[in-house]
Each structure stands twice: as C-alpha cells, then as structure tokens.
Amino acid sequence: TSMRQIAEEAGIALGGIYNHFSGKEEIFTSVLEAYHPVHEIVPVIQMSEGATIEEFVRNAAKSMMTALEREPGFLNLIFIEIVEFNSQHLPDLVDITFPKVMSIVGPFADSQNKLKDIPLQSIVRSFIGLMFMQVLTEKLVGSQFVDIPPGEAFEQTLQIFLHGILAG
C-alpha cells in the first residue's frame, strides 16, 4: 500500500498524512498499538473468576477467545508485523501486555499453591501461545484433520495446557 492510497482511503490530502506520520511504518505502529487486543483481553481476564486455578484458567481462556474473535483483524496485523517488519514492534507490545497479565494472575496463582515448579512467566507465556495457536489453527485447518467441533477442540487445548498429554 502506498502513502497515496492510504491518503485516498482516509479521504485526506497526501500532505495531510505527513503532518501526522513520518511514513507507513509509523502509521502501522499506531494501528498496531490502537487495535492490540490487550485493550480488551486484560479487562476480561481481570473479570475472570474461579474458585480454583483450573476454573480461573478456563474462564480466562474463554473470555480471551471471545475477545480475540471480536477483533478478527488482529491476526492480520500480527502477520504484517512478522512479514513486513520482521517482528520489530512486537517486543514493545509484549512489554506493555505482559506486566498487566502478570499482575492479574500472580496473586491468584500464589494464593493457590497448586502449580508445578515452573516460573509463572513461562506458564503465562504458554497460555497466551496456546490461545493464539487455537485461533490460528481454527482459521488454518478448522476440522480438516479431525472432525471435532470448535468448542470441543478448545476444551482439548485447555486440557493439554492444564494437565499435559501424558497419562497417569
């Protein structure tokens, strides 16, 4: 997309864009920051409840998935960031997001004392990765490999996160 195309779509003169942005990368960064799902995800995780860690994780995961589904363009932004900008802006978004999420789950996890001896940061990172993996695989393959309804596939992903894949 050219700056001229952006100006035309925005309905302003090309020079008007340069009054606000130095170029396409600055526009993209502004869009990525404005539409980052952290604006929706953090509040829904904060509102998640559960008497146990498992209930909390399930409720937080369901809320997170609902928030991600409301912002379908977010994955497009992430792919553009990865392909066009070599992921150079993602660390800034992680710096914004991760402390907020840690402040929510840290006290809850500490109060339960039922987690394996794994750093909480690694657990949160895995949780976020699994949720994005779930969204991505639903978009890429849906039920092509196995005839599993999306809700059941989501439940199985949660089971893997919470209990692993090994029996016993």
Side-chain angles (χ1 to χ4, degrees):
T1 304
S2 70
M3 289 296 281
R4 186 171 309 284
Q5 290 170 316
I6 293 170
E8 287 174 10
E9 187 67 28
I12 61 175
L14 181 58
I17 286 193
Y18 285 108
N19 288 334
H20 301 284
F21 301 100
S22 63
K24 287 191 292 187
E25 184 171 350
E26 191 175 337
I27 292 172
F28 177 78
T29 302
S30 295
V31 169
L32 188 62
E33 289 172 1
Y35 292 98
H36 189 278
V38 70
H39 304 302
E40 286 191 44
I41 290 173
V42 169
V44 298
I45 291 175
Q46 285 173 324
M47 294 186 313
S48 296
E49 297 177 350
T52 65
I53 290 176
E54 185 164 344
E55 286 177 17
F56 174 79
V57 167
R58 285 181 185 288
N59 291 332
K62 289 175 186 175
S63 297
M64 186 174 173
M65 294 300 288
T66 300
L68 287 173
E69 288 168 2
R70 282 194 301 260
E71 293 291 339
F74 177 68
L75 282 180
N76 294 344
L77 289 174
I78 293 300
F79 285 129
I80 292 168
E81 163 66 3
I82 292 168
V83 172
E84 295 293 325
F85 298 106
N86 199 26
S87 302
Q88 67 185 12
H89 304 103
L90 288 178
D92 293 337
L93 292 174
V94 170
D95 287 345
I96 293 167
T97 307
F98 209 71
K100 291 178 181 181
V101 173
M102 290 299 294
S103 71
I104 297 166
V105 300
F108 185 79
D110 288 344
S111 70
Q112 298 288 312
N113 284 331
K114 301 220 182 216
L115 297 176
K116 290 182 179 179
D117 189 23
I118 299 171
L120 187 56
Q121 294 87 344
S122 294
I123 293 170
V124 170
R125 182 179 183 203
S126 296
F127 175 76
I128 291 169
L130 270 174
M131 294 302 100
F132 281 108
M133 180 274 312
Q134 180 70 28
V135 171
L136 187 59
T137 55
E138 284 299 318
K139 294 203 179 297
L140 289 175
V141 296
S143 61
Q144 296 299 315
F145 293 126
V146 184
D147 190 22
I148 302 173
E152 193 172 321
F154 176 71
E155 177 58 33
Q156 290 171 359
T157 298
L158 281 175
Q159 286 294 325
I160 291 169
F161 176 76
L162 290 166
H163 304 289
I165 61 169
L166 299 178

